[in-house]
Amino acid sequence: MPVGGLVPQATDNAAELVVRNARIHTQDARRPQADALAVRGGVITAVGDDQDVAGHIGPDTRVVDALGRRVVPGLNDAHLHVIRGGLNYVLELRWDGVPTLRQGLAMLREQAARTPKGQWVRVVGGWSAEQFAERRLPTVAELNAAAPDTPVFVLHLYQSAVLNRAALKAAGYDRNTPDPKGGQIVRSRDGEPTGMLLAAPSALILYSTLAKAPVLEGEDKKTSTRHFLRELNRFGLTSAIDAAGGFQNFPENYSTVVDLAKSGQLSLRIAYHLFPQTPGQEIDDLTRWIETARPEDGDEWLRLNGAGENLTWAAADFENFTQPRPELAAYEAEFEKAVRLLMENGWGFRLHATYDETIRRDLAVFEKLAAEGLFPAGNRWLFDHAETVSPASLDRIAALGGALSVQNRLSFQGEAFLRRYGPGRAADAPPLTAMLERGLTVAAGTDATRVSTYNPWVALHWLVSGRTVGDLTLRPPSNRVDRRTALALFTRAGAALTGEDEVKGVLRPGCYADLAVLSEDYFSVPEADIPHIESLLTVTGGRIVYAAGEYEGLDEELPPVSPGWSPVARFGGYRATPPPARAGARQAELLGEAVGESEEQRQWRVGRGLVPEATDTPFDPCFSL
């Protein structure tokens, strides 16, 4: 594709891909901006202008014209449950981005009619009642009306789930079912379950109920995972750190991504963690894993990154802000054994910790081990979430060589946090500025898919604006970051957590060819439009893994969504809506521009004799004889 004088010149070591006519944000201090880059063997070989890449173009080089669009390094979600999400993606009806509950219920009603007997309709994460115009959850009556016979399970954050009558029956809940520890089955005056489940404060009741639904088998798991990865590529994601989680057993639940990696079918780089699943058996699990694997085993597509986000179940706090902060029983003895085992064997780890009270207790254990020389010891370790971490705890984390990973959970739970803790605490949740001022590595992610959406641009908007999906401002300007910093948290910082910061998150020669051509310029669009950005062309390791708009058809073909009744086959994933800047007067301006362009095109066609000259009499077929 010769463009603007770029003709094939190279005979040896020609680039496989060249992107030109772009506004490239490289994140390389030596060359922050560029117009073009060349790729060979999955890595970048040249960055600069057209002349810099011209010598890399051969007869088989694919040249992509970015048409002046913004290009950024591929995004890296530092805390995403990508493995679990992939195994379930095609089974889930996504309300991510849906603007009204009415629309969500219409989708649910249609999906219930498409769902075969024995299967469930499940809405699992990525939405909040605050995003809806109605500002409320669906009622049990609405679910029963939409799906009288098909089980329906609707999960709302870490707080609650709404089930219809058929789902209660399928889950085996009746008047004799006891409330599980930390959870509540809401009952009517006659003792029968109403269909509402509450985390009080543990979300285990929600997730254990969801686990009763049917799962995918065989090749369908691979197809589901590949479509989920393509959906992530749609937003410019090229890497993710899988934080493991409950109901994600090793090795059986990891086998799908392992098989896809072996066949070269991953479109997203994954660094994964291992999470002990059975309370009381954590030390045995960790010991077994340490004897059989080491962090960084694997390659640039799939690699082990360490343990966590839980090491022992007793040390995990809950992030349900509609409930009081949980008071954890003594856990330090077993927790110390787990941490010692990991540090002595060169394993890194990550820790789920919502509250400073938990973080302080963990740090006391680390400081005890530091007296023996185990901290800092070069092992990568971090706290996840840390919404209420204190300045004193941040100082202790820095002294022990730790890092932090923050997620936009308050995009979806911010109103609940504000009601419980007040505006002062909400303004510092989490204290981004204080973290960065101490020189700590701070990486950003989403914690998708069971609470937040996997759309990283919603998280980037939260980082720079401090606003929830319900348009409530929580964090003041003093605790926000600028757009460049936010992007670095979503790229370079995530790479640092996996020890890949020399080859990932930067567009310079020798680095991975991971990049995204954006639909809108992230650095100049109105702030409110940031969540509406998508990628038009996503490249991972030099492969075009997602293509839309002018580039549609350049990406790799996927097998059809299976099973055919899947909600994804009918509705897709994230529901894109027009950005606010396109509304109202701006929409009228765009229509005017379109009319002007249409007239220019007509004049061009007239000048070439393709259509007759215009007459003074308008032609209206409705009134013609």
Side-chain angles (χ1 to χ4, degrees):
M1 180 182 169
V3 181
L6 289 179
V7 296
Q9 298 179 29
T11 55
D12 298 320
N13 298 320
E16 292 140 10
L17 174 70
V18 163
V19 178
R20 66 170 300 275
N21 190 21
R23 287 179 291 166
I24 302 174
H25 177 69
T26 68
Q27 292 194 152
D28 181 5
R30 290 167 290 186
R31 186 159 197 167
Q33 303 293 330
D35 304 317
L37 57 79
V39 176
R40 179 177 174 82
V43 301
I44 297 169
T45 55
V47 176
D49 55 24
D50 279 357
Q51 281 195 322
D52 294 317
V53 302
H56 295 261
I57 297 175
D60 297 322
T61 301
R62 170 175 277 165
V63 179
V64 172
D65 190 333
L67 301 173
R69 291 194 173 92
R70 175 65 64 187
V71 173
V72 297
L75 302 186
N76 184 350
D77 191 322
H79 187 119
L80 175 64
H81 297 278
V82 60
I83 294 174
R84 187 177 65 197
L87 294 175
N88 294 284
Y89 176 61
V90 302
L91 293 175
E92 296 172 351
L93 178 67
R94 305 301 308 180
W95 279 358
D96 307 48
V98 174
T100 67
L101 177 58
R102 180 179 180 179
Q103 181 180 345
L105 288 170
M107 294 166 63
L108 192 150
R109 186 179 303 110
E110 182 179 345
Q111 181 56 38
R114 301 175 65 249
T115 301
K117 185 177 177 60
Q119 293 289 342
W120 294 26
V121 177
R122 58 200 95 180
V123 180
V124 184
W127 66 282
S128 166
E130 302 297 336
Q131 82 191 42
F132 292 146
E134 298 90 339
R135 304 278 175 161
R136 67 174 179 86
L137 300 178
T139 66
V140 174
E142 287 171 325
L143 297 191
N144 285 330
D149 303 310
T150 304
V152 174
F153 175 97
V154 177
L155 177 70
H156 185 236
L157 308 175
Y158 298 107
Q159 301 170 8
S160 60
V162 189
L163 284 68
N164 70 347
R165 190 180 304 109
L168 286 172
K169 182 177 180 181
Y173 290 156
D174 59 25
R175 66 168 58 235
N176 298 314
T177 305
D179 287 349
K181 182 179 180 181
Q184 180 186 353
I185 302 171
V186 179
R187 303 171 194 273
S188 61
R189 64 177 66 92
D190 61 3
E192 293 290 343
T194 64
M196 180 68 74
L197 306 180
L198 298 179
S202 169
L204 184 61
I205 183 176
L206 312 179
Y207 298 155
S208 60
T209 304
L210 178 60
K212 297 174 184 289
V215 298
L216 294 171
E217 300 292 344
E219 288 297 311
D220 283 346
K221 293 190 290 187
K222 291 184 182 179
T223 300
S224 177
T225 297
R226 292 187 69 188
H227 278 275
F228 183 50
L229 299 186
R230 174 65 60 86
E231 176 75 353
L232 299 177
N233 298 149
R234 167 188 167 192
F235 296 101
L237 280 161
T238 58
S239 290
I241 308 177
D242 187 273
F247 301 95
Q248 183 171 310
N249 292 295
F250 180 82
E252 53 267 37
N253 293 135
Y254 292 70
S255 61
T256 297
V257 292
V258 170
D259 290 344
L260 291 175
K262 288 178 179 177
S263 60
Q265 292 179 311
L266 289 180
S267 62
L268 185 90
R269 305 182 193 275
I270 300 173
Y272 61 89
H273 285 253
L274 301 183
F275 182 130
Q277 295 294 307
T278 306
Q281 189 180 301
E282 298 97 330
I283 303 301
D284 291 338
D285 285 342
L286 292 171
T287 301
R288 185 172 63 255
W289 296 336
I290 285 170
E291 291 172 350
T292 58
R294 291 193 61 80
E296 300 181 11
D297 279 357
D299 58 23
E300 67 269 25
W301 288 96
L302 184 66
R303 59 196 282 139
L304 172 62
N305 199 51
E309 61 182 296
N310 274 5
L311 302 185
T312 60
W313 279 90
D317 55 20
F318 303 111
E319 56 277 28
N320 178 6
F321 300 124
T322 62
Q323 296 282 332
R325 178 183 62 81
E327 295 291 343
L328 302 182
Y331 64 78
E332 281 81 356
E334 284 297 297
F335 181 71
E336 180 183 332
K337 290 180 185 177
V339 176
R340 180 187 297 276
L341 181 65
L342 294 168
M343 296 300 288
E344 288 180 343
N345 287 276
W347 273 56
F349 59 89
R350 65 191 310 159
L351 288 171
H352 169 107
T354 302
Y355 301 101
D356 189 56
E357 289 80 355
T358 309
I359 291 171
R360 292 200 306 265
R361 290 174 66 174
D362 292 351
L363 288 170
V365 172
F366 300 164
E367 288 164 345
K368 178 181 177 182
L369 296 176
E372 302 176 27
L374 291 179
F375 282 86
N379 303 29
R380 290 188 299 273
W381 69 272
L382 65 136
F383 282 113
D384 277 307
H385 315 312
E387 276 87 356
T388 70
V389 65
S390 66
S393 292
L394 291 177
D395 291 335
R396 296 166 72 188
I397 293 169
L400 292 166
L404 293 147
S405 177
V406 297
Q407 299 78 41
N408 63 313
R409 303 192 304 181
L410 293 192
S411 286
F412 298 85
Q413 297 179 280
E415 286 80 2
F417 189 97
L418 179 68
R419 286 191 292 270
R420 179 158 298 279
Y421 295 110
R425 298 289 297 277
D428 288 329
L432 294 173
T433 302
M435 293 174 179
L436 294 169
E437 284 175 347
R438 286 160 172 79
L440 287 159
T441 295
V442 182
T446 62
D447 201 8
T449 59
R450 288 187 173 176
V451 177
S452 303
T453 180
Y454 50 75
N455 180 349
W457 299 101
V458 175
L460 282 155
H461 174 257
W462 171 79
L463 286 168
V464 303
S465 72
R467 302 181 78 81
T468 71
V469 295
D471 207 29
L472 173 68
T473 300
L474 294 179
R475 287 182 290 108
S478 59
N479 193 29
R480 302 175 202 164
V481 296
D482 60 46
R483 299 189 194 197
R484 291 177 183 272
T485 301
L487 186 65
L489 301 189
F490 242 103
T491 50
R492 298 199 69 173
L497 296 187
T498 58
E500 298 173 285
D501 41 327
E502 291 300 315
V503 291
K504 188 188 286 188
V506 183
L507 299 178
R508 65 175 176 231
C511 290
Y512 295 154
D514 299 351
L515 57 96
V517 181
L518 303 182
S519 59
E520 305 288 344
D521 189 347
Y522 163 67
F523 294 111
S524 63
V525 294
E527 188 176 86
D529 287 357
I530 292 174
H532 300 268
I533 294 173
E534 296 189 18
S535 175
L536 294 177
L537 188 85
T538 304
V539 176
T540 311
R543 293 162 44 204
I544 297 176
V545 295
Y546 179 80
E550 295 90 344
Y551 311 109
E552 186 173 356
L554 295 183
D555 49 5
E556 303 160 349
E557 187 175 6
L558 291 184
V561 172
S562 177
W565 55 265
S566 161
V568 174
R570 172 64 182 88
F571 300 105
Y574 189 94
R575 303 288 283 183
T577 55
R582 298 275 175 93
R586 177 56 182 154
Q587 198 168 56
E589 290 177 11
L590 291 172
L591 286 172
E593 292 171 8
V595 170
E597 291 172 1
S598 177
E599 175 60 19
E600 288 181 15
Q601 185 179 23
R602 191 192 69 79
Q603 294 287 359
W604 182 89
R605 291 168 65 82
V606 167
R608 285 156 180 77
L610 300 175
V611 296
E613 286 279 358
T615 63
D616 293 334
T617 304
F619 172 71
D620 189 336
C622 293
F623 295 97
S624 63
L625 298 178

